[in-house]
Amino acid sequence: MSRANFLRVIVVSLLFALVLQPEWFAPIFEPFTPPGAVVIYDRTSLLSLSLSHLGIVAVASLAAIIVAVLLAILVTRPQGKAFLPLSRTIANMGQTFPPVAVLALAVPMLGFGAGPTLVALFLYGILPIFENTMTGLSTLPPATMEAARGIGLSRRQRLIQVELPLALPLILTGIRLSVVIAIGTATIGSTVAAHTLGEVIIAGLLTNNTSYVLQGGLIVGLFAVLIYDALTQLETHTRKRLGVM
């Protein structure tokens, strides 16, 4: 087993242990716990919070991927270039407004819960996917595109069979950045009653219990590291398969 795979096994094992058997780590977190306070967060199952956290990130990221890729395809077509400024404005919208501000604006319309968090993560995640997809579709090898036209492929066939596969490594890079940002940003959803790991961190801040903050932050951090690594491996595999460095 390589050193990288060995480290992955350790990180995965640590994450599973923290989520499924957090009481095993009580001696480690106890020094950070105020006298008389509970060491391990027990108001809600850490497994339940983790699954809900990842579910919210997955839904928001999927929506961001669909919208960002479709927008990028539109503005890289001859008939859609006029929409590039508008598309860039839409993609930049989430980055212009902080997620907390989006939550505050969304709560009156959607109420408390996962809804405002989904909107905030969706808006915040569009830009990196849109920019990378647009770059990937705009920098395709001219010789390859000419060959695709030469064998009689239609525009739709060229898009599906040539352009998107060649642009996939860059698209995956944008998705990786977007998803990892969403994993960390989703914690603020607990300020509007979304069921995320931010609940543990907020509880620790409100009760001055640093052990709660460490537990929530460590689990979120491990999820981010593992998902970042998995998407990086997928991107590397895709580049090798396509012969792109």
Side-chain angles (χ1 to χ4, degrees):
M1 181 183 293
S2 67
R3 181 179 298 179
N5 287 334
F6 180 69
L7 289 174
R8 291 185 185 105
V9 170
I10 291 177
V11 173
V12 170
S13 300
L14 178 60
L15 178 59
F16 270 90
L18 271 170
V19 171
L20 299 175
Q21 299 292 338
E23 62 275 5
W24 291 354
F25 299 88
I28 297 174
F29 292 117
E30 190 170 5
F32 304 97
T33 308
V38 178
V39 177
I40 300 298
Y41 186 81
D42 59 358
R43 298 177 192 175
T44 308
S45 163
L46 291 178
L47 175 60
S48 172
L49 288 174
S50 297
L51 292 176
S52 178
H53 188 107
L54 293 177
I56 290 173
V57 170
V59 172
S61 296
L62 179 60
I65 290 168
I66 293 172
V67 171
V69 171
L70 288 177
L71 279 176
I73 291 173
L74 172 66
V75 300
T76 53
R77 305 304 96 181
Q79 64 273 24
K81 289 184 177 179
F83 295 98
L84 178 57
L86 176 61
S87 298
R88 272 221 161 95
T89 299
I90 294 173
N92 280 295
M93 192 182 305
Q95 301 288 333
T96 303
F97 292 97
V100 174
V102 176
L103 289 178
L105 293 172
V107 165
M109 295 181 290
L110 302 176
F112 289 91
T117 307
L118 287 169
V119 172
L121 296 182
F122 165 72
L123 292 175
Y124 211 60
I126 288 177
L127 183 61
I129 304 172
F130 172 76
E131 290 291 347
N132 276 51
T133 304
M134 192 173 64
T135 300
L137 292 174
S138 302
T139 57
L140 297 171
T144 302
M145 297 308 300
E146 188 60 36
R149 295 187 191 95
I151 62 175
L153 294 181
S154 66
R155 289 183 178 180
R156 182 177 180 181
Q157 288 174 324
R158 290 200 300 270
L159 173 65
I160 296 174
Q161 298 178 25
V162 180
E163 295 181 54
L164 286 176
L166 288 176
L168 186 57
L170 275 176
I171 296 174
L172 288 174
T173 299
I175 292 173
R176 169 165 51 88
L177 295 173
S178 179
V179 171
V180 171
I181 290 171
I183 290 172
T185 307
T187 55
I188 67 171
S190 291
T191 61
V192 292
H195 202 53
T196 74
L197 288 163
E199 181 178 319
V200 184
I201 297 172
I202 292 172
L205 294 174
L206 292 176
T207 60
N208 198 31
N209 191 338
T210 306
S211 67
Y212 286 178
V213 178
L214 291 174
Q215 288 163 49
L218 184 57
I219 294 173
V220 171
L222 289 175
F223 273 128
V225 168
L226 287 173
I227 291 175
Y228 182 93
D229 179 67
L231 291 174
T232 299
Q233 293 301 312
L234 177 60
E235 181 186 337
T236 301
H237 173 74
T238 303
R239 288 182 180 276
K240 287 181 179 178
R241 191 183 65 181
L242 294 172
V244 179
M245 297 303 294

